[in-house]
């Protein structure tokens, strides 16, 4: 099982980016999915997460600017980031709670990380 991220890059302040993360491999189901980020010199923090039913949760710093969504048929989660600010600069990581075949409990998986840089 892997989480494959895409969509990071360099953007000017006020711009937009869309991150994608697909869970691939032998998967029985995917529960919660989310995005975390690690700004330079800081600890990793939650950006947003979404349940399999579509309930969402956002960090206060991104509310109204970022939107998390998912496509359950594709085991994919997205993060639409608008009105980006220099303080959004970070490595963004995808996270998913995945049910494996023949397993009773979910396992926590992480993507490799994708760099988002917002210039002022």
């Amino acid at each position: 099982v892997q989480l494959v991220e895409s969509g990071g890059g360099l953007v000017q302040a006020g711009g937009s980016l869309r991150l994608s993360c697909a869970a691939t491999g032998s998967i029985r189901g995917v529960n919660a999915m989310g995005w975390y980020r690690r700004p330079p010199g800081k600890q990793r923090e939650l950006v947003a997460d979404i349940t399999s039913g579509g309930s969402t949760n956002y960090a206060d710093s991104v509310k109204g600017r970022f939107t998390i969504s998912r496509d359950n048929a594709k085991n994919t989660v997205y993060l639409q980031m608008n009105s980006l600010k220099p303080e959004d600069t970070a490595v963004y990581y995808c996270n998913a709670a995945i049910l494996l075949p023949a397993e009773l409990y979910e396992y926590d998986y992480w993507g490799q990380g994708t760099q988002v840089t917002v210039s002022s």
Side-chain angles (χ1 to χ4, degrees):
V1 175
Q2 282 188 308
L3 297 183
V4 180
E5 303 171 9
S6 61
L10 172 64
V11 66
Q12 288 188 331
S16 297
L17 283 174
R18 188 190 195 213
L19 305 183
S20 299
C21 171
T24 64
S26 184
I27 297 171
R28 180 162 63 89
V30 182
N31 290 333
M33 303 184 82
W35 291 94
Y36 289 72
R37 67 186 180 186
R38 188 191 301 274
K42 297 184 179 180
Q43 291 187 334
R44 187 167 57 191
E45 61 187 20
L46 173 69
V47 177
D49 57 26
I50 183 168
T51 67
S52 57
S55 296
T56 59
N57 175 53
Y58 294 93
D60 288 343
S61 59
V62 307
K63 283 181 181 175
R65 300 187 298 121
F66 291 10
T67 302
I68 190 170
S69 61
R70 64 188 287 171
D71 183 333
N72 290 335
K74 296 180 179 179
N75 291 329
T76 298
V77 63
Y78 306 96
L79 185 69
Q80 178 66 43
M81 304 185 292
N82 298 329
S83 302
L84 282 160
K85 304 175 181 181
E87 51 263 45
D88 294 317
T89 295
V91 179
Y92 284 71
Y93 297 91
C94 173
N95 172 259
I98 294 177
L99 295 165
L100 303 179
E103 295 283 349
L104 290 178
Y105 304 106
E106 63 189 30
Y107 288 83
D108 209 32
Y109 285 86
W110 291 89
Q112 78 280 7
T114 185
Q115 178 70 45
V116 171
T117 302
V118 183
S119 63
S120 58

